[in-house]
Structure formats: C-alpha cells, structure tokens
Amino acid sequence: MPRTPELSSHARRTYSRLSSADLAASAEESLSLDDLGLEPGGDRVGLAFGTYSQEGLEHALRAYGFAQRLEERVGPVELRLSCQDPFQPRITVLSRRFHAAVVDLSLRQAMGAEVGFTRSAAEAPLLYVDSLLLQHPGRPFDWSRPPLPGQLHPGLSLARDLLELLHLMARRIGAEGVALMPATFSAACVYEPRFTFVDGAAQGHFSALRRAGRGWPRWLLAWAVELGCMRDEQGQPALFTPAPMISPLSRRVARRLDTRGWQRAWRFHAKQVLSLEEEALQARFPWARMPPGPPPERVVEVLGYDPLAPASPYQDACEPAPAPPRTAATS
C-alpha cells in the first residue's frame, strides 16, 4: 500500500507550534497582483481555505525555513495572496531583485471523484494543485543543468521543500491527499518520489519510460519523450500523456492505489520494452534552446554536435506553450 509521505522532524515540530491564530493573523493593506502587473483584474485578499491570511502564510514560510532558502538563492522576496475565491487561492512569491515570480501556485479544493476515484474515495477531500511554477529568473542555463521541456528559467532545487509544505497545508485544511496533473514527463519525474498515478496503466507506462532511459541524464530522456523519440516494440511512438497523480494522506485514499486492478494494470504496462530512436532525436533535438558552448562528451556521443548546423525544423514545436487549465508544471 502506498505510504503517506514522510515529513522532516523540523516540519512536524513547526506544524505543531503554528496555531490557527498564527496562520489567520490580519495583514496590513498591500499592493495587489494587479498593481504589480501580474494579474488582470482586482484582488480581494482574504483567508485561503478559511485558514491562511497573507501575513499568516509569510509567518509560516519563515517558520519552516522556506523563505530563508528562497532568499539565499534570489535575494529579498515578497509574498502575494490572491483570494477572489477563498477556496481557489493563488500564492505568488516575487523576487525584488529580478522583478519576477519565483514561486507561483494556483490551488483549490477538489473531491476524489475528479481524479477518477469511486465509492467512498470519491468523496475524499483533496488539495488540488492546478499549476506550480518554481524558477530562478536570474540564473542562466548551463550544461550542468540544461533546460527541460517547457522551462523558461532554471529551477531552484526547492521542489521537495515546496511539496512538503503543500502536504502540510493539506493536513491543516483536512484534505486526504494532494493531487495534480503533470504537464510533462519531466514534471512527473519531479513529483514521482511523493506522488503516484491514479491509473495503474499510467504508472506502469511511466515506469517503462524511466527504465528505458536508465543511465541517461534525466533532461535528455525528457527531451526524447517530449519529441516523440521513444518507441515501443512495434516501433510506435511511446508518448507521455498527462494523467492525475496523488499523494495520499488517508487510509481510504491509499487503499484506492492498492487494488488488484491497479496492480495488474501497473505490472502489465511496466513490462513494456521501450527504446530510444537516436536518429530521430538527433534530427529533432532543439540545439537553439541549449546553453552555448560544446556539450558534454556523453551528449555528443548520442546526438553528435555540429555548431554550424542549421536549427532543427522541430524548434518551433519545442517552444513552451501556455499551460492548459487544471495542469501542474514544475520547473
């Protein structure tokens, strides 16, 4: 049975110390996201999920140490809470140095039926992550961390910390799990240590993709999947299709991922033998999106490298598109 995610001892102690009064503390009047040019229309700041004020969120982020870790990377930050609907809040953390968002979260309450649960689990309350952005707008890409599909800026290496905070928030508001839908294979890889696909077949296909890319840099496998260069035994593209993932916080939600049907579908699809079509990847690889300078030797072995070669005809197709609604993307 999938286990509920383990929390650090510091997180558990801090969670116990923070009271409802701490989290709902009144905040002074502040600029809205509209004033900052980050959101069309006005904001009404209130209590997110009937629990969190902007001031309370700021206090919690500092108590957990997350705000300090952000500031070590991007300098001073400001938090903005948009609560036009208290049960669909948007939380944005802005870097004063780079004048851009470094964290941007759109959250809402949902029920288990929305992710495909039936029977009693269909009524389980969930914290649903509609979108998630975590980025360093002042840092360039380099060959130690090339861009992943959909990334405009490098990440902050804080995804684990942020996901832990979301699990703590879910516990606080009485949710029985955290749910999301990864937009890309690379995003699913970030979530996979704490999240499981609701559909056993989707989990099995994801496992097969991971196994096929064993020994490869994750970013290179991510591009191979994104560009349709993974093949099944019949030579057909083995694509990644977004599907709901969940991290259970209750026994009834965890049991939904431990049925015979789920296990059977997972085992069947995990046995797929997938392979990388290197010629297709060489032809489609978006060199123009990559950092300047020659790539590492291992990349050259797989892709070849000609600095005078024209841009790939697939370049335009690789440009990041606006995220579809109800989709979570991590960078």
Side-chain angles (χ1 to χ4, degrees):
M1 179 183 297
R3 294 181 299 173
T4 57
E6 295 183 2
L7 302 173
S8 67
S9 57
H10 171 69
R12 292 196 299 269
R13 289 194 302 269
T14 304
Y15 180 90
S16 299
R17 286 200 308 266
L18 290 172
S19 67
S20 298
D22 293 329
L23 299 175
S26 60
E28 297 178 357
E29 191 68 25
S30 60
L31 291 175
S32 69
L33 290 173
D34 183 47
D35 295 329
L36 294 166
L38 293 174
E39 184 172 285
D43 280 329
R44 179 175 59 82
V45 175
L47 293 181
F49 302 120
T51 302
Y52 299 93
S53 67
Q54 178 170 307
E55 187 177 84
L57 277 173
E58 290 173 344
H59 177 65
L61 291 182
R62 294 213 169 270
Y64 286 111
F66 185 77
Q68 294 88 323
R69 290 189 285 276
L70 268 180
E71 289 174 338
E72 290 172 358
R73 291 159 170 79
V74 300
V77 296
E78 297 180 27
L79 183 142
R80 294 289 179 257
L81 173 63
S82 173
C83 275
Q84 290 179 321
D85 181 341
F87 297 97
Q88 290 187 320
R90 178 183 175 188
I91 302 168
T92 307
V93 181
L94 304 163
S95 166
R96 296 178 182 175
R97 178 180 298 167
F98 301 111
H99 306 288
V102 292
V103 179
D104 200 353
L105 286 166
S106 292
L107 309 171
R108 62 186 170 90
Q109 285 189 334
M111 303 299 285
E114 182 171 334
V115 299
F117 288 163
T118 57
R119 300 181 180 177
S120 66
E123 301 175 357
L126 305 174
L127 175 63
Y128 199 102
V129 184
D130 268 330
S131 63
L132 187 161
L133 177 70
L134 189 61
Q135 65 177 9
H136 193 321
R139 176 182 170 185
F141 290 109
D142 56 43
W143 280 109
S144 65
R145 179 178 276 190
L148 293 165
Q151 273 191 320
L152 295 178
H153 302 286
L156 288 162
S157 300
L158 288 174
R160 180 177 179 179
D161 304 69
L162 184 58
L163 292 175
E164 182 173 65
L165 292 179
L166 288 174
H167 282 82
L168 292 165
M169 177 180 281
R171 290 174 183 270
R172 184 78 65 178
I173 66 174
E176 295 186 32
V178 181
L180 46 77
M181 187 181 295
T184 62
F185 171 78
S186 56
C189 290
V190 172
Y191 299 132
E192 191 266 341
R194 285 178 176 263
F195 288 78
T196 303
F197 284 94
V198 173
D199 178 37
Q203 184 68 43
H205 183 63
F206 175 78
S207 299
L209 287 169
R210 289 287 297 266
R211 188 178 68 252
R214 191 173 296 161
W216 292 74
R218 194 192 78 185
W219 67 269
L220 190 55
L221 175 61
W223 279 110
V225 174
E226 182 77 9
L227 297 171
C229 301
M230 301 300 292
R231 295 285 186 266
D232 62 18
E233 291 181 282
Q234 287 72 46
Q236 297 301 309
L239 305 175
F240 172 82
T241 302
M245 300 181 80
I246 193 162
S247 184
L249 297 176
S250 72
R251 186 172 294 274
R252 70 168 167 174
V253 170
R255 282 175 175 168
R256 176 59 181 77
L257 304 176
D258 197 34
T259 65
R260 290 183 179 179
W262 190 97
Q263 295 287 341
R264 185 165 52 247
W266 167 62
R267 286 193 295 267
F268 177 80
H269 288 274
K271 292 178 181 177
Q272 298 175 96
V273 178
L274 307 180
S275 59
L276 172 65
E277 186 180 356
E278 293 189 13
E279 290 185 2
L281 183 58
Q282 291 169 3
R284 302 174 186 182
F285 192 71
W287 284 108
R289 292 280 314 278
M290 295 297 113
E297 183 177 345
R298 174 65 173 138
V299 177
V300 174
E301 290 176 1
V302 177
L303 298 175
Y305 177 65
D306 182 357
L308 301 179
S312 165
Y314 284 78
Q315 177 64 29
D316 292 340
C318 295
E319 291 301 319
R326 306 258 189 267
T327 296
T330 296
S331 57

